[in-house]
Amino acid sequence: MCKKTELLAPAGSFAILKAAIDAGADAVYAAGDKFGARAYARNFTEEEMLAAIDYVHIRGKQLYLTVNTLLKEQEIGELYDYLCPLYEAGLDAVIVQDIGVMHYIRKRFPDLPIHASTQMTVTGAYGAKLLLEHGCSRIVTARELSLAEISHIYRTTGAEIESFIHGALCYCYSGQCLMSSMIGGRSGNRGRCAQPCRLPYELQKEPRGLSAPKWQENYPLSLKDLCAIEMIPELVQSGVHSFKIEGRMKQEAYVAGVAAIYRKYLDLYENHPNGDYRVSSEDYQKLLDLGNRSGFTDGYYKRHNGRDMVTFHKPSHEKNRDALQTGSVIHSDIQKKKEKINGILRIFINNPVSFVIEYKKIRAEVAGFTVQAAQKQPLGRKDVLERMRKTGNTPFTFEELQIEMEEGSFVPAGALNQLRRDAIDKLTELLLEKYRRTAPEWKAQSTQNSKNVNKQQEPLPSLSVLTETVEQFETVLAQPEVERIYQEAFAFPRAKLCKEMKALAGQAHGNGKTCYLALPHIFRRQSAEWYAKNWRQISGTEVDGYLVRNLEELSFLQEMGVPSSQIQGDSNLYVTSNEAVCGWRMLSLSHYTLPVELNAKELQNLNCDSGEMILYGYQPMMLSAQCLHKNTKGCDKTEGVFYLKDRYGKLFPVKNHCEDCYNIIYNISPLSLIHQLREIQLLHPGSFRLSFTIENRGETERIFKYYRRAKEGKLNRDNYLKDFTNGHFKRGVE
């Protein structure tokens, strides 16, 4: 092991930060009062964050700031003033989800390290490579990755990898969840997740009818907490550099207790890498006592999914008096560590008293009171030594302190105390000096979109349509308004994909339309290897382009030589600010889908010219490596549609995609903004889109009728959908 593994702990407050450092954490991650993915944590004020940066640096530790939410146009301009003082104080890195934020920081603070958040959903070497090439210094992997996949990323890219090893797991791939947003207007992508996965649901095969089969497990989306304490050797050997503990909402005793136990076993392994590594049952029980949801799981590191990872019962976070006592005991047993320094005090009559202290080759020297000959009682060596060793609440303690003193000398006690304080202050200043930076000057620039929202008479943008079934595709072929069709790749078995897509592309071209292949929502190593192996046949299908849903696919297509003009980004490649538009262009993605979490007013501030606006469709709420069908009925490799029923009787359609092995949970009602057509037209999007998922031929044709009536100004509530949602177009999200 060429590089010491980092233990990274959460810090929801200054007290927790101190406890984590004392417990042995090498670094902490924390949020300021803005832009953190735990908006309801107490978080740090600017003054506290500046003090925290100095606190960790004096002790040779690091602090990473979480800026891991999506920022809107009106917010991103606040970043410079927010980051500037922290940058100058020596902030070690920022953890980022938003490509716009990444681009902003790269321009304005070019030497500030950026860590790609797990919210970026990096699931493979293609995505990691793309981010490393564009300025990220560390990749926080998706929690769903196996040891083999992490090892492949490390061996292929050499990335510095950070992975979660303890704490809560999300049911959905992080960064791909809209469920909290769509249900309650609180966006998980903006740090305000309402945790809908912890609520009860029933699974049923049919959308209606009391006779539909049911299962008794009522919490199928609630995962157990992760505990990877027994896998430390395998994680290190797989290339994980930073072991991340989840829990910025957790209490001080929890963070200190968990960090202390992981510190113990990380040291055990690193000091004896060839030894017999075992976790004692007592320590494992302590972790359980500190908090768990229906026991622990070792996560996805050795499996793709499984029902043994799910609570299936009400997921109360199990803590009791014994747990609190366990945390308190571990916390109280942790010694508040002080940094060891050496000093030499020189006291000679008629010379200024001199004090030199050293720490890690840093030398601080101060002089003070001119030493006098004692008139009455001279200084005693023992008294001087005792006084100078009193380092109090400072982070230092003397390992060795020498006194060189002439007999019969006199220095007032207050002068000695001041000398000690001055020396420690100077040492602290010298220690922190190497971390200080000067921020580049940056004048705020207005990014207000200059489009004219008062234009009334412009032709409607072109119309694209996403289809999942051949029946939908054939129905769309007959619609004269449609210029582009996206066909989902998962509509066909892989063995037939190229043949079927070649036929569909030919039909589209024969009807004067272009045809794009919509790649999988999740593109992990197995999928990437299949597409790479079969790329010649795929590119030979004569499709006109590709709809991409993740960084892996974007990077993959670039390596395959596909020009950016043939790549369309979907809505989960988030573009919530004009800075994000620029950021994606730097990554060679020029065509994007407008975000579904912005309202009409916010979209007015966004450059929509190259953006596609979704007018209709069941929106994906969750993408999950878990499989509801497998976890309740067993895996039979049969794809289909089934339904999650919530406690209000609402039904969420669910599709399982077996060859790429992920589930999509869709919203209960389709998004429909067709009745807002003229208002949306004033945003000047590059194109419109209709998306079809579970609709049959008749339902598909009906949506086109509504679209035509809206174009003609003849659409009203009497001849429109009875069940639909406006999404966030009017209300927006927190």
Side-chain angles (χ1 to χ4, degrees), residues 397-414:
T397 186
F398 281 101
E399 181 176 40
E400 182 179 342
L401 178 57
Q402 299 177 27
I403 306 292
E404 298 177 1
M405 186 172 71
E406 184 177 349
E407 293 296 328
S409 299
F410 171 76
V411 178

Side-chain angles (χ1 to χ4, degrees), residues 267-475:
D267 289 347
L268 175 66
Y269 173 66
E270 292 195 325
N271 293 332
H272 305 283
N274 298 317
D276 183 19
Y277 179 86
R278 290 183 182 178
V279 177
S280 73
S281 58
E282 293 82 3
D283 285 335
Y284 194 85
Q285 185 60 48
K286 287 178 182 176
L287 289 173
L288 282 167
D289 288 342
L290 285 165
N292 69 87
R293 287 182 175 90
S294 304
F296 283 144
T297 173
D298 56 8
Y300 295 94
Y301 288 121
K302 294 185 177 180
R303 76 194 89 187
H304 189 87
N305 53 35
R307 64 173 288 120
D308 59 334
M309 297 177 64
V310 185
T311 69
F312 285 115
H313 304 290
K314 189 172 183 178
S316 58
H317 204 174
E318 296 178 10
K319 291 187 294 185
N320 50 39
R321 291 182 180 178
D322 292 338
L324 295 174
Q325 183 178 1
T326 297
S328 298
V329 169
I330 295 174
H331 190 198
S332 63
D333 285 346
I334 295 170
Q335 299 295 319
K336 293 193 179 298
K337 298 176 182 177
K338 289 204 168 193
E339 305 304 309
K340 294 179 180 179
I341 57 176
N342 297 319
I344 301 175
L345 178 68
R346 296 184 176 93
I347 302 176
F348 294 97
I349 297 172
N350 296 327
N351 289 284
V353 61
S354 169
F355 194 27
V356 179
I357 55 176
E358 291 186 349
Y359 172 71
K360 292 183 178 179
K361 298 182 179 180
I362 297 177
R363 176 186 174 96
E365 183 172 358
V366 295
F369 182 84
T370 299
V371 182
Q372 301 173 356
Q375 298 296 319
K376 295 181 180 178
Q377 189 173 354
L379 292 173
R381 185 177 298 272
K382 182 179 179 181
D383 290 340
V384 171
L385 188 62
E386 183 178 341
R387 182 173 298 280
M388 298 305 288
R389 279 188 173 277
K390 292 180 179 179
T391 54
N393 291 325
T394 74
F396 305 107
T397 186
F398 281 101
E399 181 176 40
E400 182 179 342
L401 178 57
Q402 299 177 27
I403 306 292
E404 298 177 1
M405 186 172 71
E406 184 177 349
E407 293 296 328
S409 299
F410 171 76
V411 178
L416 288 176
N417 291 339
Q418 187 61 49
L419 192 70
R420 183 191 65 241
R421 289 193 290 267
D422 290 346
I424 290 177
D425 287 347
K426 186 171 183 179
L427 177 63
T428 301
E429 183 181 337
L430 292 171
L431 268 174
L432 296 175
E433 191 175 77
K434 66 178 180 179
Y435 295 100
R436 304 301 191 206
R437 310 181 183 100
T438 300
E441 289 188 13
W442 187 267
K443 291 184 178 180
Q445 298 175 348
S446 173
T447 57
Q448 183 72 26
N449 192 9
S450 61
K451 60 190 173 189
N452 182 357
V453 296
N454 293 316
K455 284 186 178 180
Q456 296 292 333
Q457 302 299 322
E458 279 196 358
L460 286 174
S462 61
L463 180 64
S464 301
V465 178
L466 174 69
T467 61
E468 292 195 7
T469 68
V470 173
E471 181 182 55
Q472 292 165 356
F473 188 96
E474 291 173 345
T475 305

Side-chain angles (χ1 to χ4, degrees), residues 43-97:
N43 295 326
F44 286 67
T45 65
E46 180 182 303
E47 182 180 355
E48 288 174 326
M49 187 63 73
L50 291 171
I53 291 170
D54 288 349
Y55 185 91
V56 299
H57 284 165
I58 289 170
R59 292 157 179 81
K61 312 295 184 180
Q62 293 187 300
L63 188 149
Y64 310 138
L65 178 71
T66 58
V67 190
N68 54 342
T69 60
L70 300 179
L71 270 61
K72 300 177 183 180
E73 179 64 20
Q74 63 269 31
E75 297 169 330
I76 203 159
E78 301 173 22
L79 262 181
Y80 184 83
D81 289 341
Y82 176 63
L83 289 177
C84 189
L86 309 181
Y87 171 86
E88 292 184 329
L91 178 66
D92 295 289
V94 286
I95 305 172
V96 166
Q97 173 191 11

